[in-house]
Amino acid sequence: LPIADSIRIRSGSGDYDVLFASDLASIAEGLSTMDKAVVVIDQTVHDLYRERMRDLLDRYPCYPLPATEEEKTLQGVERLLGFLQERQCGKESTLVVVGGGITQDIATISAHIYYRGIRFAFVPTTLLSMADSCIGAKCGINLHGFKNQIGVFHSPSRVVVCTRFLDTLSAIDVVSGYGEIVKLALTGSLADFEDLERTVDREGLRGESLPRLISMALRVKQAVIEEDEYEKDLRRILNYGHTFGHALESVTRHAVSHGVAVAWGLDLVNYIAVARGLLGQAHFDRIHAFVRRHFSPHMSSVPDLDDLIAATRRDKKNRAGRLTLILLEEPGRLKVHYLDYDASLRETVAAYLRLA
Ligand SMILES: NC(=O)c1ccc[n+]([C@@H]2O[C@H](COP(=O)([O-])OP(=O)(O)OC[C@H]3O[C@@H](n4cnc5c(N)ncnc54)[C@H](O)[C@@H]3O)[C@@H](O)[C@H]2O)c1
Ligand SMILES: [Zn+2]
């Protein structure tokens, strides 16, 4: 079967399907018939897959873009909008977006504002975008050197996941995608985490069960966003691991990739949760061992305590000078906590850094 499986996502702006295509040739079929479309594609993906994606790329105007954080800005959005205007793209056109999170973010905001909104279909090509960012309708672009400052919610009309793209993805981008998968497995249940742990320890990171892990991650995220699509409350738990993760990315000037930082960040807040009597030691030990085995080798050094804590103060979720953390009470149960920046917090983080 070319289209192996599907998930229907309920959304305030229209439900949409995530289809799983078993090969590149069935992607065009999964996208179904579109009269008018423009393909927005990651330049690297375009160069690697041009021949194998001829049916799509020869049929519609094609806009290759560099997947860089510099392009993920108002200037990058304006360049794409200019292309749509030049190609006389109208209200009835669909943007077919092929790439990872960067391409997705630039295209989502563009599709939201061009003619006050046009449809877009997404074909994720990185593990992070397949297992996490392809659903949920969020996007963020950078402003004056600060990440993800501007954004909108705009649902895709269709998502087609094809794991064949992962054959060419770099090892570090694969590990990075796993950071979000670990987060979502722990958000799901102990069984989801155990399945992830068993599968990866047995098959490695690019094993044959990867489509099942992607599906698991998407179903966990689905349950959260269907309940709280616009992040009024529950959806905040998807920030598990991200406060210290973002802080680590920032103090290392992005030498540590996003997913590796998230895995490390969730291990650190688990340590805080144990110290506060919220999470059992046995759960911590098991998750910690997994993070050490698969993510720690991708971290070059331990960050400085003061730099790290200072970096968390810029977190958008903080309220009234208190640190907002999503803490695990057991796999499948996360809660929002507000912590004071006091000596006890500092000592716990210091103790965690000594562990590493
Ligand atoms: N909108 C959201 O919900 C959301 C969620 C998480 C992250 N993000 C954003 O996504 C970005 C990170 O996205 P990402 O990790 O998906 O990667 P990416 O889009 O940054 O791509 C990573 C690298 O892989 C290359 N690449 C992509 N697909 C490839 C393939 N199949 N083969 C070979 N090379 C390939 C790209 O050219 C790029 O060099 C960040 O800017 C982050 O802020 C957005
Ligand atoms: Zn993330």
Side-chain angles (χ1 to χ4, degrees):
L1 262 175
I3 302 294
D5 185 15
S6 73
I7 304 177
R8 165 146 295 195
I9 309 291
R10 282 190 285 114
S11 163
S13 50
D15 300 353
Y16 55 95
D17 289 322
V18 180
L19 304 180
F20 292 83
S22 51
D23 52 41
L24 295 162
S26 17
I27 293 174
E29 180 191 332
L31 289 169
S32 75
T33 50
M34 297 166 299
D35 285 342
K36 290 202 76 182
V38 168
V39 179
V40 179
I41 186 169
D42 179 321
Q43 176 77 62
T44 304
V45 176
H46 178 264
D47 296 348
L48 288 165
Y49 293 92
R50 187 174 34 213
E51 291 307 322
R52 283 170 281 173
M53 296 183 78
R54 280 227 165 280
D55 45 350
L56 196 66
L57 300 176
D58 287 349
R59 211 166 139 202
Y60 304 111
C62 184
Y63 181 82
L65 56 74
T68 61
E69 293 290 338
E70 293 70 46
E71 190 68 14
K72 210 180 90 155
T73 54
L74 289 169
Q75 292 73 34
V77 169
E78 188 180 1
R79 276 189 278 277
L80 171 54
L81 294 173
F83 181 83
L84 300 180
Q85 187 179 54
E86 184 192 306
R87 294 306 167 108
Q88 294 169 351
C89 183
K91 261 286 201 205
E92 72 292 0
S93 298
T94 302
L95 286 195
V96 175
V97 182
V98 185
I102 291 193
T103 311
Q104 179 190 1
D105 280 345
I106 297 168
T108 303
I109 189 163
S110 303
H112 187 72
I113 59 181
Y114 186 76
Y115 283 11
R116 288 192 209 89
I118 59 172
R119 275 188 306 276
F120 83 101
F122 186 39
V123 180
T125 63
T126 63
L127 183 56
L128 181 143
S129 57
M130 290 178 196
D132 178 12
S133 71
C134 69
I135 61 169
K138 257 205 211 182
C139 73
I141 62 164
N142 310 328
L143 180 69
H144 298 168
F146 290 97
K147 275 205 69 169
N148 298 342
Q149 303 285 297
I150 306 172
V152 297
F153 284 100
H154 190 77
S155 297
S157 54
R158 173 70 53 88
V159 178
V160 181
V161 173
C162 177
T163 55
R164 289 265 62 87
F165 284 113
L166 301 177
D167 297 345
T168 54
L169 193 67
S170 69
I172 191 62
D173 282 314
V174 171
V175 177
S176 186
Y178 268 97
E180 304 287 1
I181 297 179
V182 177
K183 176 197 82 174
L184 289 168
L186 288 169
T187 304
S189 64
L190 181 59
D192 288 335
F193 177 70
E194 285 175 344
D195 179 27
L196 170 67
E197 190 185 40
R198 215 180 312 115
T199 306
V200 170
D201 288 340
R202 192 178 56 222
E203 299 180 6
L205 298 178
R206 294 184 201 247
E208 57 176 15
S209 306
L210 188 47
R212 196 186 72 240
L213 296 179
I214 292 171
S215 197
M216 174 274 289
L218 290 178
R219 283 177 198 283
V220 171
K221 182 167 176 180
Q222 173 187 26
V224 175
I225 60 175
E226 285 189 345
E227 181 144 349
D228 176 23
E229 188 168 18
Y230 304 110
E231 201 161 337
K232 294 196 170 59
D233 186 29
L234 177 72
R235 187 167 175 168
R236 293 190 293 163
I237 66 171
L238 297 180
N239 291 302
Y240 176 41
H242 278 64
T243 300
F244 279 97
H246 284 148
L248 179 66
E249 285 181 274
S250 150
V251 303
T252 62
R253 293 169 200 277
H254 295 273
V256 178
S257 72
H258 180 68
V260 171
V262 168
W264 182 84
L266 67 82
D267 193 42
L268 194 169
V269 294
N270 286 351
Y271 191 82
I272 295 175
V274 173
R276 298 194 178 216
L278 297 164
L279 175 70
Q281 184 73 40
H283 284 313
F284 171 80
D285 289 343
R286 189 161 174 189
I287 300 163
H288 181 65
F290 185 78
V291 170
R292 279 215 117 145
R293 276 201 298 286
H294 299 288
F295 297 93
S296 298
H298 303 279
M299 282 183 53
S300 43
S301 60
V302 178
D304 175 76
L305 174 65
D306 292 308
D307 291 349
L308 189 69
I309 290 182
T312 66
R313 289 185 181 271
R314 286 198 299 271
D315 195 280
K316 288 192 280 244
K317 293 181 297 303
N318 288 354
R319 292 286 174 270
R322 300 182 89 197
L323 178 65
T324 305
L325 288 182
I326 316 302
L327 298 180
L328 188 72
E329 299 185 349
E330 62 178 302
R333 202 162 78 227
L334 287 160
K335 290 232 177 76
V336 182
H337 289 260
Y338 303 93
L339 279 67
D340 288 321
Y341 278 100
D342 57 12
S344 136
L345 175 71
R346 213 185 122 78
E347 272 159 32
T348 311
V349 176
Y352 178 80
L353 296 180
R354 283 195 299 271
L355 261 190

